[in-house]
Amino acid sequence: MRSISSGRFAGSTRVALFAGAASIALALPSAAFAQDAGDGVDESEDDFSNVIVVTATKREQTLQETPISVSVTSGETLEQAQIRDVLDLQTVTPSLRVSQLQNSSSTTFIIRGFGNGDNNFGIEPSVGVFIDGVFRSRSAASLNDLPNVQRIEVLNGPQSTLFGKNASAGVISVVTRPPQFTFGGSAEVSYGNFNALVFKGDVTGPISDNIAFSIDGSYNSRDGYGTIVNLDEEVSERNRWSARGQLLIEPTPDLSVRLIGDYSRFDEACCVVSTLVAGPTAGALPAVGGQLSTDFFSYDIFLNQVPVNETDNYGVSGQIDWATGPISVTSITAYRKLENFVDQDVDFTSADIVSELRDQRVKTFTQELRVSSDFDGPLNFLLGGYYFNEKIKQDSALTTGTAARDFFEILGQFATGDPTFNFSDLEFQGPTSPGLGIAPGGIFAAGPLTAEAYSMDNESYSIFGTVDFEPVEGLVFTAGFNYTDDQKDFALSGQAFDPLANINLADAFIIGALAGAGVDGTDPAQVAAFASNPMTAPIFQGILAGAVDPTVNPLIGLAGFQFQPPFLDTPNAVENGKTSDDKFTYLLRAAYEVSPEINIYGSYATGFKASSVNLSRDSRPVFGDFIPAPLPAGVPSVIGGSNFLAPSSPIRDAGLPITNLTTGSRFAGPEKAEVYEIGIKGQWDGVGFNLALFDQTIKGFQSFLFTGTGFQLNNAGQQSVKGFEFDTTINPADGLVLTFAVTHLDPVYDSFVSSPVGDLSGARPGGIPAWNLATSATYTHEWDSGTRLISRLDYSHESNTDINNGLPTFGDDPIFRREVNLVNGSMTLSLNNGFEVGIWGRNLLDDEYIITVFDGVAQAGTVSGYPSAPRTYGGVVRYKF
């Protein structure tokens, strides 16, 4: 097994940066509990304060008082670091990883190595994203630019007690600024390389004594940093905008109503897919007018069409807060719609082989109601309920391109060693040469390859609560619970149009052999008579044995071209198209204030994520509902869907079609998480720190992996991780704020027998670096006039790690690796009249690394992947009033 590493930024420069980061952490007193805590909500401009108010426990607490591992990034840090959306957030939050892959709307959020849900709307995220308390159920609904953000809280580890079924790995909570009763606002223009142009603006103020408003919006455009060489078009561009309006109504001091309406849209050509390894099949491309590039970081690619990704995301929400004495009541009601359209070349070459279209629509209604207390006595409580109703619809299709037939014929010549191989020999040429009975030119004819329609209705409710007991001052015991009931109804239907894929090649051999014996193989009565006749039964058994023997049945070699066999619709007579889950999860915690400067805590928590449904053409019945024919080693599984050879099973016995049917999964069962965590937090004037040690396990982790021609969804047995998180923030001198954060992860597949690359039990999961670092230095020089010069430099690092555990068709020689070293910087001159002028740069040293890799689509031996984005830089002008 070999390894290939990516990450051009290395050597002495990297060592120097490590040394600098270590000096911040070790030469100065240990301290920090959040990214740029000095930029917190309660910090004044004249005096450093590391007191930050967060709502990670759905109560307002200072970060030091919050007894969980949480990282906070302030709005000021987002502004200074030019963090536009959650994709960039990972550079200041080491426990978080965000990956954007196939298109602009395919994104995965990962915390402590756990997360999924990027490329299939039926798979719920393990990391819940909440914006102003409203759950965004799909990552495409949470990717718009971050407007007017007050802070972002990243809650590490299972948070199901308070956040429900979609927080088994953690939570990202985005908190925006509410309307103000003082008139104000801001306007910003930024311009950078690749013609990056960003406009942002907001205005807020009073309408009356008890009603305030705010309006904000943004526009973000950028030329693509990738080039589709043969089309002379750009890719990996930005073209998005968003708008939002708010009303804050406070009829009495004890009652407030916050109404929010928002709309965002992006219409982008994304993303750059490069070739790492050109397999043997790449030699067929020039013959059909195709090209690909193996210069991975050139950002030059070849496609036969410009990718399209259009996403509209909009909704309304209302939050009501009412306080009466020590009791507070909060209600959050929301309705959202997401429309996502994708049309792209999925063979990632300039040859017109295959393209995919997806049209997805999601409607989501949520209602949360909670009551909390603030008694003077030793007991306090929080009790709430949550209702979730979502409807998903998707239409999708694969289209065979004009070059597909010739391309696959050449692959057939490579595979058979026969330069005369062609599909015409298999098609009908007349009564004396019927072939497989396929119309001439029918195999891989240009036009529809598949068409699918999926729908899923998800209804869920939960009841949750916590009780805090403080027997003596400073010592708090907390018990929490969550009961969730989750019901899904799904329907999947599909058509496969390629005639070759609709023929079982074992059955074709058997029918042909029976015809030679004078038996009509399509007549069950004649077949039964031939099979039961003592004189002909041995002949029949010999025909059946030969049908699955490649040395006897030459048709088996064609099974490799049956990429999209017929689809068994569900629900059907055997499969009801439903999942039903319910789970009681809980939290036990003890927290103690050792002194006004030091807090410690220890906790045990469980988490839950409901079943996920495979809303794709790769959905298959489970083994048992259907039992395919037993096959010799090396014979493709599609052969097992034989009407002659498949044994009795519920699906076959119900008379459902089984031609080329294989087994897999319709859905993956629930995830069950648990975590043991202990932590200590310290805070002094100008210094603070946070340390958490954890042992976290997810049983039944929902794994969704690409296999070369489709996606496999199953439960991964058990995956666990041990590690620690340490954050420090230091204010060693007036105007200087230093931060250092590190996360160490030691993950393992405790049990993963049925992965696409074999039994991974005991192996380290790929893609999870052992070390993640984030460090920054911010210096503010203020003149007597009030004008300030703010300089910021930050560095983030992911240690060298295997990107995955091998690829299903390419194998594990080599294993591709990734190391990340990003340096970002900014400098802003803030004048005392509200004007600001600045410069910024991200990935200043132009670090190059592989984001991830996958098997080439229908191209055995080819490996494709996503390269990291290049250096970006620019200037910004801002006015605040």
Side-chain angles (χ1 to χ4, degrees), residues 440-778:
I443 298 176
F444 291 118
L449 179 60
T450 70
E452 301 87 27
Y454 313 130
S455 65
M456 184 175 77
D457 293 345
N458 183 193
E459 187 172 38
S460 176
Y461 71 86
S462 61
I463 301 170
F464 61 89
T466 60
V467 175
D468 295 331
F469 175 55
E470 188 174 10
V472 297
E473 185 175 0
L475 177 62
V476 179
F477 296 100
T478 300
F481 77 96
N482 183 299
Y483 175 77
T484 295
D485 182 276
D486 185 86
Q487 308 290 326
K488 292 184 175 73
D489 295 306
F490 58 92
L492 299 89
S493 64
Q495 295 175 276
F497 298 107
D498 182 59
L500 178 61
N502 283 273
I503 297 173
N504 183 273
L505 298 171
D507 289 354
F509 175 87
I510 293 169
I511 291 172
L514 289 173
V519 178
D520 182 357
T522 64
D523 184 344
Q526 291 189 42
V527 174
F530 187 78
S532 59
N533 186 327
M535 298 294 294
T536 56
I539 299 174
F540 183 69
Q541 292 302 316
I543 292 173
L544 297 184
V548 294
D549 185 346
T551 64
V552 177
N553 179 6
L555 296 177
I556 288 177
L558 299 174
F561 296 108
Q562 296 179 311
F563 301 119
Q564 298 297 330
F567 187 87
L568 178 62
D569 295 351
T570 187
N572 53 52
V574 176
E575 302 171 292
N576 63 8
K578 297 178 182 291
T579 68
S580 179
D581 304 311
D582 66 288
K583 184 66 175 177
F584 181 87
T585 58
Y586 59 94
L587 161 72
L588 299 173
R589 182 172 60 219
Y592 181 58
E593 183 182 277
V594 178
S595 70
E597 296 80 20
I598 297 177
N599 292 62
I600 60 174
Y601 69 91
S603 65
Y604 172 77
T606 61
F608 166 72
K609 189 177 88 168
S611 296
S612 286
V613 178
N614 193 356
L615 294 183
S616 81
R617 62 185 63 90
D618 305 303
S619 175
R620 299 286 185 270
V622 298
F623 185 87
D625 285 348
F626 175 65
I627 303 175
L631 300 173
V635 175
S637 60
V638 70
I639 300 295
S642 164
N643 290 278
F644 287 96
L645 301 172
S648 172
S649 67
I651 284 177
R652 173 164 189 161
D653 297 345
L656 296 171
I658 65 167
T659 298
N660 289 347
L661 186 62
T662 58
T663 58
S665 67
R666 298 291 194 185
F667 59 89
E671 289 182 358
K672 300 174 184 178
E674 67 174 8
V675 61
Y676 296 88
E677 184 172 306
I678 59 174
I680 180 170
K681 302 188 178 194
Q683 178 181 326
W684 296 266
D685 290 340
V687 177
F689 78 90
N690 174 29
L691 174 65
L693 292 84
F694 55 86
D695 184 347
Q696 184 173 331
T697 300
I698 291 186
K699 298 178 181 179
F701 180 73
Q702 295 170 1
S703 171
F704 187 64
L705 299 173
F706 185 62
T707 62
T709 55
F711 289 86
Q712 177 177 315
L713 172 67
N714 56 13
N715 291 99
Q718 180 171 304
Q719 181 178 338
S720 62
V721 62
K722 296 180 176 67
F724 67 84
E725 293 152 342
F726 176 75
D727 298 280
T728 183
T729 301
I730 309 160
N731 181 214
D734 289 344
L736 178 62
V737 178
L738 304 175
T739 73
F740 177 81
V742 58
T743 295
H744 175 64
L745 300 175
D746 184 17
V748 64
Y749 283 125
D750 301 297
S751 174
F752 193 5
V753 176
S754 301
S755 89
V757 293
D759 187 357
L760 292 177
S761 301
R764 180 187 179 95
I768 305 176
W771 296 95
N772 290 266
L773 306 178
T775 185
S776 72
T778 303

